[in-house]
Amino acid sequence: MFLDEPARKTPLVGAYDVAVVGGGVAGIAAALAAARCGAKTILIEKQFALGGLATLGLVTIYLPLCDGCGRQVSFGLAEELLRISIRHGWEDRYPAPWLESGTRESREKRRFEVQYNASVFAILCEQLLRESGVEILYGTSVCGVQTENGKIRALFLENKSGRSAISVRCAADCTGDADLCAMSGADTARFKQGNVLAAWYYAQHGNRVRLKMLGFADVPDKYKSENEKRQNRRRYGGIDGAELSEMVQDAHTALLADFLKDGSVSQKHNLTAMAAIPQVRMTRRLCGAYTMDDTEQHKFFTDSIGMIGDWRKAGPVYELPFRMLYSEKVKNLAAAGRCISVTDDLWDVTRVIPACAVTGQAIGTALALSDDLPALDVGTLQARLRNDGVRLHECELETDNR
Ligand SMILES: Cc1cc2nc3c(=O)[nH]c(=O)nc-3n(C[C@H](O)[C@H](O)[C@H](O)COP(=O)(O)OP(=O)(O)OC[C@H]3O[C@@H](n4cnc5c(N)ncnc54)[C@H](O)[C@@H]3O)c2cc1C
């Protein structure tokens, strides 16, 4: 059954070159890159803080910028944001082998990753965006788009003021769930396996506050043992409102049970923080002009926009082709972070923080340069990315890594 809504006129409240939807790590990097390229940029976030899963989701381990064999592979904003995340110190300060004086041998033994304070990271990112001229609009959901001739022309917003619209030259989908891609008619695909329950939280033990990681990073079915395949855990798809609410309630119940099993609440043992957003890993993604697979390790892509390693193991390096970030159908739309165009088997590698920063920087830069991404001269994009500190190809690495 359906209800007809009355037709209405929506106030147009602004005009922007680049609208970034979603303020997780991907959105932060995209907005920063676009603004630094001179684009009039707005970042729209439905929560009231930046960082998404990386802050409000309490996922506070900035996974490696290196390949596990002593070489840094992710640069540019991925490195800048990692440094910012620990600027005021936390459990892991800058890993010593990755200081200027570090040797390749010492770097092989210690991956280039850190653990950071979620609240400090969120505030520092906010300050950085404001200093860079990004307009941040919190408490606002993008709930619709107006498209014309294969391009997004306006976004519809809902917030405390009611419903409004902004006109945009181009838009970045950094929602994690490809919401904007779906709204604008780009092809999307769902993660077939679904997500297992996760409930990361912080608890105090004596004088220390510790991250407790309840739940596990699932592996693609094709890599599972027969025994693992037989385990029949509940899975959550992550893009159904009612199911997400149920998942969050299940996570709360699991969290409290896990916390209480260690002992009762006391001054020495206390629950200090739970996630404020659902902890889902892979949900829905863009079907881009190219879909990359986990078999494409060490492959040279002429349109690479940066590189990532594999957080799960040492060795693999992936160059990320620009074509996996945009849709042929909606030419002024690009996606970054959790919802880029990868197969289910690669998704677990590209969903993590460094990859979100690498892809965010690439699309922010690209959208500042053009509102027709399939027609954009990739060489121009790559020149700008290089200028902003990004390394594009694995063959360029040896001179930078001792
Ligand atoms: C349990 C768990 C553990 C993980 N562990 C790690 C780890 O240890 N290290 C690591 O590097 N990665 C880890 N990850 C993955 C990583 O944290 C996330 O995938 C990454 O932070 C995602 O960034 P993102 O910007 O793509 O998306 P998100 O962080 O999901 O950000 C999307 C943002 O968009 C906003 N948004 C969504 N829809 C709209 C809309 N319509 N309008 C306005 N705003 C909207 C959301 O509020 C959110 O802030 C983990 C993930 C999970 C779930």
Side-chain angles (χ1 to χ4, degrees):
M1 199 170 122
F2 293 90
L3 282 186
D4 286 326
E5 288 188 64
R8 56 182 157 189
K9 287 204 183 298
T10 303
L12 191 60
V13 295
Y16 298 88
D17 296 326
V18 178
V20 176
V21 184
V25 170
I28 292 166
L32 207 48
R36 285 178 179 174
C37 290
K40 185 181 177 195
T41 306
I42 185 169
L43 185 150
I44 301 156
E45 167 54 53
K46 67 181 172 186
Q47 307 293 336
F48 279 90
L50 293 179
L53 278 165
T55 60
L56 300 170
L58 298 186
V59 167
T60 51
I61 301 168
Y62 205 120
L63 282 172
L65 301 181
C66 69
D67 65 353
C69 303
R71 298 186 306 174
Q72 182 176 349
V73 296
S74 301
F75 295 84
L77 283 179
E79 183 178 346
E80 185 177 336
L81 292 177
L82 177 141
R83 289 174 187 274
I84 285 169
S85 76
I86 49 164
R87 185 183 292 163
H88 297 306
W90 190 240
E91 291 192 19
D92 275 336
R93 286 165 196 276
Y94 206 79
W98 293 94
L99 292 168
E100 198 62 17
S101 56
T103 61
R104 172 118 184 216
E105 202 187 6
S106 65
R107 291 174 178 186
E108 281 169 9
K109 295 184 191 131
R110 169 76 159 88
R111 294 203 74 169
F112 194 174
E113 67 182 16
V114 298
Q115 190 169 351
Y116 56 86
N117 179 308
S119 308
V120 172
F121 188 38
I123 296 169
L124 291 179
C125 287
E126 181 183 276
Q127 290 180 347
L128 187 64
L129 291 195
R130 292 178 77 180
E131 284 158 18
S132 307
V134 176
E135 190 178 320
I136 302 172
L137 189 59
Y138 282 138
T140 303
S141 286
V142 171
C143 54
V145 300
Q146 188 183 73
T147 55
E148 194 184 281
N149 299 328
K151 288 187 178 172
I152 297 175
R153 286 300 170 215
L155 301 180
F156 293 100
L157 318 178
E158 294 269 12
N159 64 19
K160 203 74 171 166
S161 317
R163 195 172 166 96
S164 61
I166 54 172
S167 68
V168 299
R169 192 172 59 77
C170 35
D173 188 338
C174 298
T175 62
D177 306 314
D179 287 8
L180 195 57
C181 296
M183 283 175 207
S184 58
D187 291 332
T188 59
R190 302 214 183 154
F191 183 59
K192 292 181 202 68
Q193 269 176 240
N195 293 263
V196 291
L197 192 69
W200 288 27
Y201 66 98
Y202 275 92
Q204 183 187 344
H205 293 268
N207 293 330
R208 276 176 73 91
V209 174
R210 291 218 184 101
L211 178 62
K212 307 274 280 181
M213 294 177 265
L214 188 61
F216 58 94
D218 204 9
V219 293
D221 276 342
K222 78 172 181 188
Y223 297 121
K224 281 198 178 92
S225 67
E226 287 308 314
N227 190 26
E228 282 172 320
K229 275 187 202 154
R230 275 195 294 273
Q231 289 173 358
N232 197 15
R233 288 194 169 78
R234 179 168 178 190
R235 308 277 161 164
Y236 303 86
I239 52 167
D240 177 283
E243 186 219 41
L244 265 182
S245 295
E246 213 179 300
M247 187 195 118
V248 167
Q249 293 168 60
D250 292 346
H252 292 165
T253 305
L255 182 167
L256 194 63
D258 189 67
F259 168 67
L260 291 177
K261 85 172 189 291
D262 275 353
S264 57
V265 179
S266 69
Q267 274 189 325
K268 292 203 164 154
H269 180 79
N270 215 339
L271 176 57
T272 52
M274 67 178 191
I277 60 174
Q279 294 175 332
V280 281
R281 292 179 165 92
M282 288 86 87
T283 57
R284 179 172 54 193
R285 65 166 174 87
L286 169 71
C287 295
Y290 187 79
T291 299
M292 192 174 171
D293 184 46
D294 69 341
T295 53
E296 298 182 277
Q297 302 168 9
H298 308 292
K299 184 165 164 183
F300 181 90
F301 283 101
T302 47
D303 63 337
S304 172
I305 49 78
M307 285 172 283
I308 56 166
D310 186 335
W311 63 275
R312 305 165 306 180
K313 56 179 180 232
V317 176
Y318 294 94
E319 295 188 8
L320 303 176
F322 179 47
R323 286 161 294 157
M324 70 199 288
L325 307 181
Y326 64 80
S327 149
E328 300 275 14
K329 274 193 181 164
V330 188
K331 297 183 188 318
N332 62 345
L333 167 72
R338 281 198 291 129
C339 52
I340 62 174
S341 191
V342 288
T343 60
D344 283 11
D345 295 332
L346 184 60
W347 210 331
D348 197 34
V349 178
T350 58
R351 71 180 167 85
V352 299
I353 293 172
C356 294
V358 170
T359 52
Q361 179 169 12
I363 68 163
T365 307
L367 293 171
L369 291 171
S370 173
D371 67 350
D372 187 347
L373 297 183
L376 172 63
D377 172 39
V378 178
T380 308
L381 169 64
Q382 289 173 321
R384 177 70 208 217
L385 289 171
R386 273 188 209 282
N387 194 48
D388 293 338
V390 176
R391 301 282 189 285
L392 303 173
H393 300 293
E394 192 175 0
C395 57
E396 297 165 11
L397 286 179
E398 295 309 329
T399 50
D400 296 322
N401 289 280
R402 272 170 290 202

